[in-house]
């Protein structure tokens, strides 16, 4: 059997996590990280620590090749050292680039112990810190997957169209570095990944397959980072939207912060360029991460979890679910004062 | 002098990424970059496997190695467990260490990435930082991002983030001690050396290409403008 077709059931730690944040998620969807912590602590009764001293893993720099692998290994070693110092052995990782990166480094160290020794020495010289190898590295979507039935039991809403009574049609997009680098590190492996579809089904939705399900969102690191190259990025997303369109999805669910951002923003950009959407309406297809989706079924206030930060409006989705929310609070600040609103939401006027 | 092949072999990722390539082209079939550019990861792998110094030298001076999007879609599909994306990353490292990258348009862009992502990392501790996602240079981010950008403090506070403030939380200020550690990690592990290499070769190329100030020194602002507008001519 090819390694990519292994039906993977991976080990996912069930408590005591050290949270490692994502640069992109904090930037664009900070509410998703906050609500993930809240769900774990206050709904599932888990112990998870949010440490102020960890930094970017520098993974975006690594994959755009300005950060050498030796430096990347040392930065990863520093995150592990912070975990060790706090007595944690299980990492809960928000970012898919980091998630793939941590596994890449651990695999290198397994096969080439001299690389681990070098990273230890670099880290010691630079910071005086030491580390133990973590016992478990899980992505936030893994943890949501592991507790999907517990979340279903606590849920206030199901992923069901309230008017028709039918399950919402949901397509997923799995970030490439979740399972393509190491298929055995992703639930279901690289080709038949089930980490998001199982969650969707546990919460009453219908997971809908589409031909380009495994295609990259198009980030391409240097291709998005350099403005002149961004057509690479948007072309790949377009390929995905074209592939989803005939299946009429109610929403897209993602596990990767970058993919979530691109699939949200490129729908808008494509609408501006081509004058069309892929949703059958002017809004576009709402794109939610697994954290945001978990929060919705649990009934969190959509504006507390930052859904007003999406370009494609989430309100049509909330209406479909029959979600009880207040549209007038969408643009109120923490003190209840109006903070102005975007000139335009959605994709087409 | 070390050969190209020796330089490539010094990187552990070459051992990880290249077993024996049988030239089947499955990587090319699945590669999103091959669909977009005139680009063929198979031939890159075959060239590296051949050990042909001249061909490898040409490769690291070319646009080709900069076309890969590092998605690693090639990795799980390769019947021989190679990882073309990883091999390409090794080629890019050597291209930057030897200065070959300035010979190609896409390679020269590394200077732009250093100036944005590299600066973010060292100055803020984040790869991406809200103040640096300027709506004018990121029109694709849309009106909602513009609204967030213009009302950063209030919006981030509303959704429970801790923008630029002490303590834990999303987008918190990463303290000086942590940034100092990060900088020392870069100094100790070769990150700073690579940054310097990218800057120095870019400065030399800028000078050679006539982007100079009144004193004949490289004018990196002019050079940056040039890079930002350099034509996309291979499509
Ligand atoms: S790297 Fe793998 S997939 Fe690509 S041509 Fe060689 S053997 Fe085939
Ligand atoms: S990592 Fe590079 S070579 Fe491999 S599939 Fe992605 S773009 Fe193609």
């Amino acid at each position: 059997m090819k390694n990519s077709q292994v039906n993977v059931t991976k080990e996912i730690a069930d408590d005591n996590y050290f949270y490692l944040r994502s640069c992109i998620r904090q930037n664009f969807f900070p509410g998703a990280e906050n609500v993930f912590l809240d769900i774990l602590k206050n709904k599932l009764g888990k112990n998870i620590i949010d440490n102020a001293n960890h930094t970017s893993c520098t993974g975006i720099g690594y994959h755009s090749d300005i950060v050498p692998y030796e430096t990347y290994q040392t930065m990863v070693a520093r995150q592990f050292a912070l975990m060790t110092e706090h007595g944690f052995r299980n990492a809960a990782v928000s970012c898919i680039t980091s998630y793939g990166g941590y596994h890449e480094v651990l695999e290198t160290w397994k096969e080439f112990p001299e690389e681990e020794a070098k990273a230890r020495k670099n880290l010691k010289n630079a910071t005086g810190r030491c580390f133990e190898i973590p016992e478990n590295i899980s992505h936030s979507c893994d943890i949501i997957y592991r507790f999907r039935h517990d979340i279903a039991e606590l849920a206030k809403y199901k992923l069901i169209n309230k008017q028709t009574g039918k399950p919402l049609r949901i397509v997923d997009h799995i970030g490439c570095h979740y399972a393509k680098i190491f298929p055995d590190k992703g639930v279901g492996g690289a080709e038949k990944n089930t980490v998001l579809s199982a969650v969707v089904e546990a919460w009453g939705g219908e997971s809908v397959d589409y031909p380009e399900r495994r295609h990259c969102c198009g980030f391409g690191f240097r291709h998005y980072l350099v403005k002149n190259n961004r057509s690479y990025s948007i072309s790949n997303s377009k390929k995905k939207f074209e592939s989803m369109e005939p299946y009429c999805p109610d929403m897209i669910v993602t596990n990767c912060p970058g993919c979530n951002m691109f699939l949200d923003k490129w729908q808008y950009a494509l609408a501006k360029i081509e004058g069309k959407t892929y949703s059958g309406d002017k809004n576009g297809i709402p794109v939610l991460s697994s954290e945001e989706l978990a929060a919705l079924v649990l009934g969190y206030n959509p504006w507390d979890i930052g859904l007003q930060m999406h370009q494609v409006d989430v309100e049509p989705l909330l209406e479909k679910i029959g979600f009880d929310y207040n549209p007038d609070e969408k643009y109120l600040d923490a003190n209840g004062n109006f903070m102005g609103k975007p000139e335009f939401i959605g994709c087409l006027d | 002098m070390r050969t190209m092949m020796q330089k490539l072999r010094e990187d552990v990722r070459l051992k990880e990424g290249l077993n024996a390539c049988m030239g089947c082209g499955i990587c090319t079939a699945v590669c999103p970059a091959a669909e977009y550019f005139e680009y063929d990861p198979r031939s890159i792998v075959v060239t590296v496997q051949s050990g042909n110094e001249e061909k490898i030298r040409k490769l690291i001076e070319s646009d080709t190695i900069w076309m890969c999007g590092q998605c690693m879609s090639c990795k799980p599909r390769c019947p021989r467990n190679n990882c073309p994306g990883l091999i390409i990353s090794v080629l890019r490292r050597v291209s930057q260490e030897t200065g070959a990258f300035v010979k190609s348009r896409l390679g020269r862009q590394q200077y732009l990435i250093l100036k944005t992502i590299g600066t973010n990392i060292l100055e803020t501790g984040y790869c991406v930082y809200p103040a640096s996602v300027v709506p004018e240079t990121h029109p694709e981010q849309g009106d909602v991002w513009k609204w967030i950008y213009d009302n950063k403090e209030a919006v981030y506070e509303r959704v429970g983030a801790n923008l630029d403030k002490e303590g834990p939380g999303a987008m918190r200020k990463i303290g000086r001690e942590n940034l100092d550690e990060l900088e020392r990690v870069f100094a100790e592990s070769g990150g700073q050396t690579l940054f310097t290499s990218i800057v120095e070769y870019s400065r030399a190329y800028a000078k050679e290409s006539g982007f100079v100030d009144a004193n004949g020194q490289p004018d990196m602002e002019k050079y940056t403008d040039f890079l930002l507008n350099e034509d996309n001519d291979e499509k």
Side-chain angles (χ1 to χ4, degrees):
Chain A
M1 205 184 332
K2 267 190 59 191
N3 64 358
S4 53
Q5 283 160 2
V6 177
N7 202 3
V8 180
T9 35
K10 58 171 278 192
E11 210 174 296
I12 302 163
D14 79 337
D15 203 349
N16 299 316
Y17 309 100
F18 190 89
Y19 194 42
L20 291 167
R21 289 179 177 271
S22 145
C23 298
I24 294 190
R25 207 182 310 268
Q26 291 177 82
N27 219 287
F28 295 103
F29 310 107
E33 290 201 345
N34 286 353
V35 78
F36 176 73
L37 291 173
D38 196 78
I39 293 171
L40 256 74
K41 283 188 210 159
N42 300 323
K43 303 280 182 194
L44 300 170
K46 302 293 168 188
N47 182 22
I48 181 163
I49 182 174
D50 181 20
N51 173 271
N53 293 320
H54 80 289
T55 65
S56 165
C57 74
T58 71
I60 293 178
Y62 169 55
H63 285 292
S64 57
D65 298 277
I66 57 163
V67 173
Y69 193 38
E70 200 175 322
T71 299
Y72 187 64
Q73 290 179 56
T74 315
M75 286 305 301
V76 169
R78 184 175 182 273
Q79 315 283 56
F80 293 166
L82 294 171
M83 283 178 69
T84 306
E85 288 160 22
H86 286 83
F88 283 76
R89 304 299 294 271
N90 303 326
V93 185
S94 174
C95 175
I96 289 288
T97 302
S98 307
Y99 179 76
Y102 296 149
H103 282 298
E104 182 181 346
V105 168
L106 288 174
E107 290 296 308
T108 296
W109 291 352
K110 248 190 237 162
E111 217 187 316
F112 303 96
E114 64 279 13
E115 293 288 315
E116 182 184 334
K118 228 189 315 175
R120 286 189 181 277
K121 189 165 152 262
N122 286 338
L123 183 70
K124 185 87 189 166
N125 290 346
T127 70
R129 294 181 195 270
C130 300
F131 66 92
E132 283 174 36
I133 300 284
E135 272 164 22
N136 186 272
I137 309 261
S138 292
H139 187 262
S140 45
C141 72
D142 292 324
I143 297 167
I144 291 170
Y145 167 86
R146 172 155 190 161
F147 297 115
R148 66 195 185 281
H149 298 303
D150 305 76
I151 292 172
E153 270 176 34
L154 297 168
K156 290 206 174 117
Y157 296 98
K158 284 194 157 197
L159 300 175
I160 286 177
N161 185 319
K162 203 171 177 213
Q163 289 217 309
T164 63
K166 287 194 179 145
L168 293 183
R169 296 173 58 76
I170 301 179
V171 290
D172 66 34
H173 171 76
I174 305 280
C176 289
H177 290 196
Y178 172 66
K180 285 178 181 173
I181 307 180
F182 301 108
D184 64 334
K185 299 292 186 277
V187 178
E191 305 289 353
K192 295 182 181 156
N193 201 282
T194 50
V195 73
L196 295 177
S197 53
V199 161
V200 162
E201 281 161 11
W203 300 341
E206 181 189 354
S207 170
V208 178
D209 201 3
Y210 62 105
E212 296 299 346
R213 191 173 183 176
R214 299 289 167 247
H215 195 79
C216 174
C217 74
F219 178 15
F221 296 93
R222 69 188 324 280
H223 295 320
Y224 176 74
L225 299 175
V226 178
K227 193 176 174 204
N228 273 359
N229 303 356
R230 281 184 200 145
S231 52
Y232 173 92
S233 190
I234 196 169
S235 305
N236 280 295
S237 281
K238 178 173 150 78
K239 182 169 170 152
K240 290 202 69 104
F241 299 136
E242 280 172 347
S243 175
M244 292 170 189
E245 190 179 15
Y247 300 87
C248 308
D250 293 302
M251 65 163 280
I252 303 169
V253 62
T254 70
N255 62 352
C256 172
C259 304
N260 203 89
M261 186 268 279
F262 289 119
L263 294 176
D264 182 49
K265 305 296 167 68
W266 285 138
Q267 285 189 73
Y268 160 87
L270 282 165
K272 295 284 158 215
I273 296 166
E274 305 180 309
K276 87 164 274 216
T277 60
Y278 296 87
S279 56
D281 65 8
K282 291 185 170 181
N283 181 44
I285 314 164
V287 191
L288 265 65
S289 62
S290 56
E291 290 91 338
E292 291 166 334
L293 195 60
L296 271 194
V297 298
L298 288 167
Y300 280 83
N301 178 341
W303 317 138
D304 286 351
I305 65 168
L307 297 190
Q308 66 277 52
M309 292 174 81
H310 291 235
Q311 178 63 38
V312 176
D313 199 354
V314 295
E315 286 193 55
L317 180 72
L318 299 176
E319 301 289 341
K320 276 184 196 166
I321 300 175
F323 201 99
D324 182 19
Y325 74 104
N326 186 348
D328 300 333
E329 288 175 2
K330 192 169 183 179
Y331 301 112
L332 300 187
D333 69 12
N335 304 315
N337 301 317
F338 182 60
M339 48 182 170
K341 58 188 248 184
E343 251 173 56
F344 175 70
I345 309 148
C347 288
L348 281 178
D349 286 308
Chain B
M1 214 173 82
R2 288 172 306 154
T3 63
M4 281 295 156
M5 216 41 221
Q6 281 167 333
K7 285 185 185 134
L8 296 177
R9 282 209 191 100
E10 277 163 19
D11 196 314
V12 66
R13 295 171 302 166
L14 195 74
K15 295 189 200 99
E16 293 178 313
L18 181 56
N19 298 304
C21 169
M22 60 179 176
C24 65
I26 291 177
C27 52
T28 302
V30 75
C31 171
E35 205 174 327
Y36 183 79
F37 298 107
E38 268 190 44
Y39 169 75
D40 176 19
R42 166 182 51 184
S43 64
I44 295 179
V45 177
V46 168
T47 300
V48 171
Q49 183 170 256
S50 78
N52 183 315
E53 283 291 303
E54 201 34 50
K55 282 190 185 161
I56 294 173
R57 189 178 308 277
K58 275 208 185 112
L59 193 58
I60 65 166
E61 290 175 357
S62 72
D63 274 339
T64 308
I65 56 165
W66 303 103
M67 290 174 180
C68 164
Q70 288 288 294
C71 64
M72 306 299 175
S73 303
C74 46
K75 167 107 184 346
R77 295 274 175 92
C78 172
R80 287 286 173 86
N81 267 325
N82 300 322
C83 182
L86 212 54
I87 299 168
I88 287 154
S89 193
V90 177
L91 290 162
R92 289 176 175 182
R93 203 207 75 220
V94 174
S95 179
Q96 292 177 119
E97 283 174 0
T98 57
F101 71 104
V102 298
K103 300 200 172 161
S104 87
R105 179 182 75 84
L106 293 177
R108 286 192 284 278
Q109 294 171 338
Q110 288 306 96
Y111 182 73
L112 297 174
I113 298 174
L114 182 73
K115 284 289 159 202
T116 50
I117 304 301
T119 306
N120 281 349
I121 291 174
L122 291 182
E123 289 183 359
T124 69
Y126 296 99
C127 284
V128 195
Y129 183 69
S132 65
V133 188
V134 182
E136 285 69 37
T137 52
H138 285 276
E140 80 289 349
Q141 285 291 338
D143 297 80
V144 173
W145 175 254
K146 188 176 182 311
W147 165 74
I148 296 166
Y149 184 88
D150 291 341
N151 299 278
K152 279 193 271 313
E153 228 165 90
V155 178
Y156 281 85
E157 189 191 1
R158 173 67 187 88
V159 303
N162 193 24
L163 180 65
D164 292 334
K165 298 203 184 86
E166 304 291 332
M171 246 37 264
R172 72 210 173 278
K173 179 181 173 163
I174 291 180
R176 194 61 255 169
E177 327 75 70
N178 288 308
L179 291 178
D180 286 345
E181 277 193 28
L182 201 156
E183 218 173 286
R184 289 200 299 273
V185 165
F186 270 65
E188 190 69 32
S189 60
Q192 196 53 57
T193 310
L194 184 64
F195 276 22
T196 307
S197 168
I198 296 170
V199 170
E200 287 312 315
Y201 283 116
S202 300
R203 284 175 62 83
Y205 181 82
K207 192 171 175 182
E208 215 178 281
S209 313
F211 300 101
V212 286
D213 61 19
N215 304 318
Q217 291 307 307
D219 184 331
M220 297 313 277
E221 262 180 48
K222 268 193 217 154
Y223 181 62
T224 300
D225 270 354
F226 158 74
L227 292 180
L228 285 171
N229 295 304
E230 215 177 350
D231 269 352
N232 177 358
D233 48 19
E234 73 277 295
K235 268 224 81 192

